[in-house]
Amino acid sequence: MNHTHNIIIDTDPGQDDAIAILLALASPELHVLGITAVAGNVPLQLTHSNIRKVCELVYKTNIKVFAGTDKPMKRNLVTAEYVHGETGLNGTQLPEPSMPLQSKHAVDFIIDTVQTQPEKSITLCTLGPLSNVGLALEKAPEIAPRIKQLVMMGGGLFEGGNVTPVAEFNIYVDPDAARLVFESGIPIVVMPLDVTHKALTTKKRIEAFRALDSTVGSVSADWLDFFERFDEDKYGTDGGPLHDPNVIAYLLKPELYSGRHINVEIETQSALTLGMTVADYWRVTEKPRNAVWVTDVDADGFFDLILKRFAQFN
Ligand code: RIB
Ligand code: CA
């Protein structure tokens, strides 16, 4: 099969990141050129280890994994063990990885790949803070026009924030990097809390993972049982939002989603609203439209896609 998308996944696993990575690895339409680790949910040395644990879970030990930056561009790292557990993949115990970490820094891998691959052939899929991409743009701004698109999980408008009343975690951790990305001119598709909060891991859906009757199915169900308890308590819902796999699902079945092309800017100064995605959804300004802001998903279609792809893992 010809690949539809050549992608680099930048990620901070995180149980939801792990599901997203597995979805990408289960999908022949996607050519995963490499997976880059960023500090976020847990520190860098855990995120790059967790990526390799996930790849080894499905025997994809040929995937190139790179370590990136261990902190935001200008600020101290904020982590989320309170959501993901101290390993970042709490819910189940996976063996320490034996596949190698690439020696090249993730930022240099991103730059070199974009500069050597055909222009407009690379899609960046970011599932965590944008620190690696921000550093790449700072070091080599000339890569921006060469990037086909950047599909990210981050931000929030109608759903507010999840680490402050107005800021979502991935943007809040590194607002300076996010600002660089949104000002870069790269075609951006945003999966904010506005859409991920419509993709809830209900008990019925978690049982469907378990019913796959496979290692991947039961590990995924165990991850989701752990990861979603925090959001279930917070929002009082049956299940919590499954954030990051929406980035990959969008590439596989964009028809599951709808949104608007709008202007989005990032607050980087105010202590009160730091990391807010100021999304001009109703276009009340004439500011340039720099991002597709996704607000709706066919949630049943989304989970069906994941389950059908996971069923292919033996
Ligand atoms: O706010 C949700 C985002 O923060 C997700 O990417 C989750 O993995 C965490 O990184
Ligand atoms: Ca993440």
Side-chain angles (χ1 to χ4, degrees):
M1 163 182 269
N2 285 335
H3 298 300
T4 311
H5 298 281
N6 300 303
I7 68 172
I8 294 172
I9 301 173
D10 189 74
T11 176
D12 64 333
Q15 293 87 347
D16 60 321
D17 303 68
I19 302 283
I21 293 167
L22 289 173
L23 179 59
L25 297 180
S27 301
E29 305 93 319
L30 306 179
H31 182 194
V32 180
L33 297 172
I35 304 180
T36 53
V38 68
N41 286 321
V42 288
L44 179 70
Q45 66 270 19
L46 283 173
T47 58
H48 71 57
S49 171
N50 288 343
I51 293 169
R52 289 178 287 153
K53 287 181 179 181
V54 173
C55 290
E56 289 186 344
L57 178 68
V58 289
Y59 310 102
K60 298 281 187 180
T61 53
N62 61 324
I63 295 290
K64 290 186 171 52
V65 179
F66 302 81
T69 181
D70 61 359
K71 61 180 175 45
M73 291 183 81
K74 295 182 180 173
R75 299 168 192 276
N76 296 328
L77 178 63
V78 172
T79 53
E81 289 87 346
Y82 59 93
V83 176
H84 299 273
E86 76 284 353
T87 72
L89 290 181
N90 283 41
T92 191
Q93 192 79 36
L94 293 178
E96 285 307 304
S98 54
M99 67 186 279
L101 191 61
Q102 300 298 308
S103 55
K104 183 178 279 191
H105 192 283
V107 170
D108 294 326
F109 169 71
I110 292 168
I111 293 169
D112 295 349
T113 304
V114 172
Q115 286 180 330
T116 54
Q117 293 290 321
E119 192 170 16
K120 300 282 187 192
S121 68
I122 304 292
T123 292
L124 301 183
C125 301
T126 64
L127 313 180
L130 290 161
S131 312
N132 284 335
V133 180
L135 286 169
L137 289 169
E138 184 178 69
K139 185 172 182 179
E142 66 277 9
I143 65 170
R146 294 186 57 84
I147 294 168
K148 177 179 179 184
Q149 64 179 340
L150 186 152
V151 187
M152 75 166 69
M153 190 279 143
L157 176 65
F158 302 111
E159 286 294 307
N162 58 8
V163 283
T164 78
V166 295
E168 176 279 328
F169 179 80
N170 288 341
I171 307 297
Y172 179 77
V173 170
D174 200 337
D176 306 290
R179 180 174 181 173
L180 277 177
V181 168
F182 279 89
E183 291 179 351
S184 67
I186 300 169
I188 297 172
V189 177
V190 187
M191 293 286 162
L193 298 177
D194 303 345
V195 68
T196 66
H197 281 198
K198 296 174 180 174
L200 298 182
T201 59
T202 61
K203 286 180 182 44
K204 185 165 169 276
R205 285 166 176 163
I206 291 183
E207 281 320 306
F209 279 96
R210 226 173 271 291
L212 287 173
D213 197 21
S214 66
T215 306
V216 168
S218 58
V219 166
S220 299
D222 290 343
W223 279 335
L224 295 180
D225 272 336
F226 179 89
F227 161 66
E228 298 305 346
R229 84 217 175 286
F230 179 82
D231 284 330
E232 285 178 321
D233 295 348
K234 179 174 171 183
Y235 298 113
T237 48
D238 172 13
L242 186 55
H243 304 289
D244 293 341
N246 285 284
V247 169
I248 304 301
Y250 173 80
L251 293 179
L252 297 172
K253 292 191 83 173
E255 63 273 20
L256 293 175
Y257 297 93
S258 61
R260 300 185 83 185
H261 196 204
I262 64 171
N263 175 265
V264 180
E265 294 187 12
I266 309 298
E267 177 57 63
T268 59
Q269 303 304 316
S270 156
L272 179 62
T273 58
L274 184 71
M276 181 176 185
T277 44
V278 183
D280 184 5
Y281 192 80
W282 302 115
R283 297 177 179 146
V284 297
T285 73
E286 297 301 317
K287 291 180 178 178
R289 299 175 190 177
N290 58 343
V292 173
W293 188 267
V294 178
T295 52
D296 287 299
V297 59
D298 168 356
D300 286 334
F302 169 62
F303 281 96
D304 286 350
L305 171 66
I306 298 173
L307 288 161
K308 280 195 174 67
R309 295 296 167 104
F310 280 23
Q312 295 165 39
F313 290 123
N314 54 27

